[in-house]
C-alpha cells in the first residue's frame, strides 16, 4: 500500500501540534487542506487515526503506532533529501532548535545575528521550553541544555560561555532596610523571591566557598515559574521586595546599573556552561552541520 508522503507529513504535524490549525502552521498549509490530507489517509488505510473533539485532537491507538514508526522514517527522508544541499554554494533549509529560556536569553543573542548573516538561506526556528525533551520526537534538529545526562547516541558540543555562576542580589533599598547577609544561613531570615519549575520542584539556593558547600531553602515571599517569568522576580528584587537568586549573566545589567547589589558574592557557585546536542546519525542536515561548525569556531 502506497500512501502520499504529504498526507503522512500532515498527519504527523497535526498530532505534534495537537490540532489542525497548529499542524497547518507547522507545514505551511491551510487547516482545511491538512484536514483533507488526514481524512484521505484514514480512508486509504481503512482505520481511524485521530480522536477529534471541538477542543482537542489526539491519536487513536492505531494513530499512535503509526506516529512512532513514521517520525524517524520521515526524518530520514528529510535527511536524505538534504544531501543535495552539499551541492549548493550556501546551505539552505530550516534549522529547529529546542532550548531552555536561559539559553534563549543568555546564549543565543550572541550567536543568532552572526549566524544569520553567514547563512542567509537558513531559517532558524527556536522552540523554548525548560523540560528535557526528545529532540527528534519534538520535530527539532538539535537542543541546548545544561548538564543533562544525554543518551548514548547523542553528540554534545559546547556552546556559549564555558563557566557560569548563580548570583544572589537585592536592591540597595532592601539591603538598607534589612541588612546585608554575612553567611548563606542568614538568607533564611530574609524575604526571598523563588523560582518553581513546571514539574513543581522549587530548587534550593546553593552556595559554595572553597571546599564548603551548602544549600538553603528559604521561605518564599514570591514564587514565579522558572523561565521567562523569572523576569518578574528580577523586577521585584529591583523594586526592593527581597533577595533574588539567578544566573549571574541574567542579573548583570542590573548589577552594572546599581539597581541591584551583589549579596554573598564570595559564595556564588560555578557550573559548566550549556551544550548543543543532536543525534549522532550518519546523515546530518546541512543547516545543522552549518550551525555546529559555526558555534565550534
Amino acid at each position: 500500500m502506497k500512501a502520499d508522503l504529504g498526507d503522512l507529513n500532515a498527519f504527523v504535524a497535526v498530532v505534534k501540534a495537537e490540532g489542525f490549525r497548529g499542524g497547518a502552521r507547522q507545514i505551511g498549509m491551510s487547516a482545511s487542506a491538512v484536514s483533507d490530507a488526514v481524512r484521505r489517509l484514514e480512508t486509504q488505510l481503512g482505520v481511524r487515526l485521530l480522536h477529534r473533539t471541538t477542543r482537542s485532537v489526539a491519536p487513536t491507538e492505531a494513530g499512535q503506532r503509526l506516529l512512532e514508526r513514521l517520525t524517524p522514517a520521515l526524518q530520514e527522508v528529510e535527511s536524505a533529501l538534504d544531501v543535495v544541499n552539499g551541492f549548493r554554494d550556501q546551505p539552505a533549509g530550516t534549522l529547529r532548535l529546542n532550548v531552555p529560556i536561559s539559553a534563549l536569553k543568555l546564549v543565543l543573542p550572541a550567536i543568532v545575528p552572526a549566524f544569520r548573516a553567514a547563512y542567509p538561506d537558513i531559517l532558524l526556528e527556536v522552540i523554548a521550553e525548560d523540560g528535557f525533551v526528545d529532540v527528534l520526537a519534538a520535530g527539532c534538529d538539535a537542543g541546548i541544555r545544561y548538564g543533562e545526562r544525554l543518551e548514548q547516541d547523542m553528540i554534545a558540543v559546547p556552546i556559549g560561555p564555558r563557566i557560569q555562576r548563580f548570583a544572589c542580589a537585592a536592591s540597595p533599598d532592601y539591603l538598607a532596610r534589612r541588612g546585608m547577609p554575612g553567611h548563606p544561613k542568614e538568607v533564611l531570615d530574609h524575604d526571598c523571591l523563588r523560582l518553581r519549575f513546571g514539574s513543581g520542584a522549587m530548587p534550593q539556593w546553593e552556595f559554595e566557598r572553597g571546599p564548603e558547600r551548602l544549600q538553603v531553602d528559604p521561605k518564599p515571599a514570591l514564587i514565579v515559574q522558572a523561565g521567562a517569568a523569572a523576569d518578574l522576580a528580577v523586577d521585584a528584587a529591583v523594586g526592593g521586595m527581597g533577595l533574588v537568586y539567578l544566573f549571574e549573566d541574567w542579573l548583570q545589567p542590573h548589577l552594572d546599573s546599581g539597581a541591584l547589589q551583589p549579596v554573598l558574592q564570595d559564595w556564588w557557585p560555578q557550573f559548566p556552561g550549556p551544550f548543543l546536542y543532536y543525534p549522532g546519525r550518519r546523515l546530518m542536515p546541512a543547516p545543522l552541520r552549518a550551525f555546529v561548525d559555526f558555534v565550534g569556531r
Side-chain angles (χ1 to χ4, degrees), residues 85 88-92 117-121:
N85 246 332
R88 297 171 54 92
D89 294 332
Q90 284 272 26
Y119 298 99
D121 294 330

Side-chain angles (χ1 to χ4, degrees), residues 86-138:
F87 295 92
R88 297 171 54 92
D89 294 332
Q90 284 272 26
T94 300
L95 173 62
R96 297 180 181 88
L97 299 180
N98 188 288
V99 308
I101 301 295
S102 55
L104 185 76
K105 186 178 182 72
L106 305 178
V107 176
L108 291 184
I111 295 174
V112 169
F115 178 74
R116 170 68 178 175
Y119 298 99
D121 294 330
I122 294 178
L123 172 62
L124 183 61
E125 181 178 347
V126 179
I127 296 92
E129 53 187 335
D130 283 307
F132 184 79
V133 299
D134 181 334
V135 291
L136 291 181

Side-chain angles (χ1 to χ4, degrees), residues 41-122:
L41 181 61
E42 289 179 322
T43 300
Q44 183 178 12
L45 297 177
V47 63
R48 179 176 290 276
L49 299 174
L50 297 175
H51 293 300
R52 302 164 173 85
T53 71
T54 56
R55 294 188 176 183
S56 65
V57 174
T60 62
E61 183 179 355
Q64 184 61 39
R65 294 288 182 87
L66 179 61
L67 177 71
E68 292 169 358
R69 299 294 297 270
L70 268 182
T71 300
L74 289 176
Q75 287 164 346
E76 283 301 315
V77 170
E78 185 176 344
S79 295
L81 293 174
D82 190 68
V83 169
V84 301
N85 246 332
F87 295 92
R88 297 171 54 92
D89 294 332
Q90 284 272 26
T94 300
L95 173 62
R96 297 180 181 88
L97 299 180
N98 188 288
V99 308
I101 301 295
S102 55
L104 185 76
K105 186 178 182 72
L106 305 178
V107 176
L108 291 184
I111 295 174
V112 169
F115 178 74
R116 170 68 178 175
Y119 298 99
D121 294 330
I122 294 178

